[in-house]
């Protein structure tokens, strides 16, 4: 089938290649002309045969909003827009409503796989009407990993990105657990080879995972991670996961703590720790360090 793909960065560019390898036609647009097959969204739409499927792979928020709004003016009834970025699920509901008013279908698709997706396939979580899903299914089949698993119709519009958001929240907590265990092992004098301990866990243990494999790969490159600064950004989906938990009164202590740990990583001199040090000095006479 034919697909229009908007956004050809690290993820989008590899997705275009994987879809083409499966035998489909992909016409790509990107603001960077060196990456694009066409010069504009208008040209992309005119080169696709109706009914069209256009996949949006741009940053969440304003870029996605503007792209969907422009497509709503360019596409025709019966066409479908797929948002494969990391949009907030509440935006999906608005986009589905906007496009439905013009007879255009909408599918939201959470995509996981990162830079390894071209080789291994992408895990896909999609939401929307069954009729729209069916029209995009050949593309989903091309992108997903080989085998029985790796793709799911999660529910109504917004469900795909909600599922991907929760996936990323779990990812935050898993990475935090590995990181805390690694730091504790590094801190103990009697432990002489932390890297090999992590490597030994790759087989036969209940905590083996692809994230553990990647941790070992990182330690092979830099055994004590001495080349890295202890700073971790967050994509936004961890925050949305915690916000959704509050809205639905669902306790998420591990995921929430992992998000806050990332915030703490950005403080060279923690204001909170200043207050804790001051209080310990006041009530117990404990030593404090001055600048």
């Amino acid at each position: 089938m034919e697909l229009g793909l908007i956004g050809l960065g690290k993820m989008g560019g590899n997705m275009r290649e994987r879809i083409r390898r499966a035998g489909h036609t992909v016409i790509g647009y990107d603001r960077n002309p060196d990456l694009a097959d066409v010069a504009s969204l208008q040209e992309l739409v005119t080169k696709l045969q109706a009914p069209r499927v256009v996949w949006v792979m741009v940053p969440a928020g304003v870029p996605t909003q503007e792209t969907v709004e422009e497509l709503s003016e360019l596409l025709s009834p019966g066409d479908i827009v797929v948002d494969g970025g990391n949009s907030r699920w509440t935006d999906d509901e608005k986009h589905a409503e906007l496009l439905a008013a013009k007879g255009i279908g909408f599918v939201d698709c959470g995509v996981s796989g990162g830079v390894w997706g071209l080789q291994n396939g992408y895990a896909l979580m999609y939401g929307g009407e069954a009729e729209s899903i069916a029209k995009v299914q050949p593309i989903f089949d091309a992108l997903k990993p080989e085998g029985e698993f790796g793709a799911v119709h999660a529910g109504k519009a917004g469900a795909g990105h909600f599922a991907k958001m929760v996936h990323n929240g779990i990812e935050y907590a898993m990475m935090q657990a590995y990181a805390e265990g690694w730091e504790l092992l590094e801190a103990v004098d009697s432990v002489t080879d932390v890297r090999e301990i992590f490597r030994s866990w790759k087989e036969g243990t209940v905590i083996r995972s692809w994230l553990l494999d990647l941790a070992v790969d990182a330690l092979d490159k830099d055994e004590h991670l001495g080349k890295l600064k202890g700073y971790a950004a967050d994509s936004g989906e961890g925050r949305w996961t915690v916000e959704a938990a509050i809205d639905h009164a669902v306790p998420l202590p591990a995921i929430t703590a992992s998000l806050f740990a990332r915030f703490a990583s950005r403080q060279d001199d923690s204001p909170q720790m200043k207050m804790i040090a001051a209080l310990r000095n006041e009530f117990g006479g404990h030593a404090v360090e001055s600048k």
Side-chain angles (χ1 to χ4, degrees):
M1 63 176 285
E2 289 186 343
L3 178 74
L5 181 58
I6 302 169
L8 302 171
K10 292 180 180 179
M11 288 280 283
N14 282 343
M15 289 168 63
R16 174 174 62 175
E17 178 62 23
R18 185 173 175 88
I19 296 167
R20 284 176 172 172
R21 290 180 184 179
H24 303 294
T25 298
V26 183
I27 301 173
Y29 170 72
D30 193 276
R31 289 185 299 176
N32 181 349
D34 294 334
L35 302 176
D37 302 315
V38 293
S40 67
L41 291 186
Q42 175 72 56
E43 184 181 356
L44 180 145
V45 170
T46 58
K47 284 185 176 292
L48 294 170
Q49 295 183 356
R52 306 170 186 86
V53 176
V54 179
W55 188 301
V56 180
M57 205 68 190
V58 302
V62 173
T64 296
Q65 178 68 34
E66 291 178 346
T67 302
V68 170
E69 289 176 352
E70 186 171 353
L71 287 173
S72 74
E73 300 296 329
L74 294 172
L75 295 175
S76 305
D79 294 344
I80 296 172
V81 173
V82 181
D83 178 7
N86 281 332
S87 293
R88 189 182 174 102
W89 79 97
T90 50
D91 291 343
D92 295 324
E93 295 168 350
K94 296 174 185 176
H95 295 159
E97 184 177 354
L98 168 68
L99 295 169
K102 301 192 176 187
I104 303 168
F106 177 80
V107 175
D108 65 288
C109 183
V111 181
S112 180
V115 296
W116 296 90
L118 175 60
Q119 175 183 340
N120 299 334
Y122 299 88
L124 307 173
M125 295 143 271
Y126 35 85
E129 298 297 328
E131 181 180 0
S132 296
I133 298 293
K135 292 178 181 178
V136 188
Q137 194 63 53
I139 301 300
F140 292 148
D141 291 342
L143 287 172
K144 71 177 288 293
E146 294 183 7
E148 181 180 357
F149 306 110
V152 61
H153 183 183
K156 301 176 182 178
H161 280 142
F162 194 93
K164 175 58 163 49
M165 177 196 74
V166 174
H167 164 281
N168 281 24
I170 294 170
E171 177 187 296
Y172 275 48
M174 290 175 66
M175 287 193 290
Q176 184 66 26
Y178 285 131
E180 290 176 6
W182 172 78
E183 182 178 0
L184 180 57
L185 287 166
E186 286 277 350
V188 176
D189 290 339
S190 60
V191 176
T192 58
D193 201 334
V194 177
R195 178 177 60 185
E196 292 310 308
I197 290 172
F198 263 62
R199 196 187 311 278
S200 76
W201 292 343
K202 292 177 62 172
E203 298 293 342
T205 72
V206 296
I207 64 168
R208 63 189 185 272
S209 72
W210 188 40
L211 280 175
L212 178 63
D213 295 342
L214 294 175
V216 173
D217 290 344
L219 295 174
D220 281 339
K221 296 172 184 174
D222 183 4
E223 183 173 358
H224 301 288
L225 304 183
K227 300 176 183 178
L228 297 178
K229 183 179 180 181
Y231 177 103
D234 67 284
S235 64
E237 290 188 300
R239 301 185 190 208
W240 299 342
T241 304
V242 173
E243 290 170 4
I246 293 170
D247 291 341
H248 292 83
V250 175
L252 300 186
I255 291 174
T256 302
S258 69
L259 174 65
F260 287 176
R262 295 198 185 190
F263 296 163
S265 78
R266 302 166 202 174
Q267 297 177 333
D268 292 329
D269 188 16
S270 171
Q272 295 177 24
M273 291 303 108
K274 292 181 183 180
M275 175 57 73
I276 290 173
L279 289 172
R280 292 180 75 248
N281 179 256
E282 291 296 325
F283 71 69
H286 299 291
V288 295
E289 296 183 9
S290 301
K291 286 188 176 181

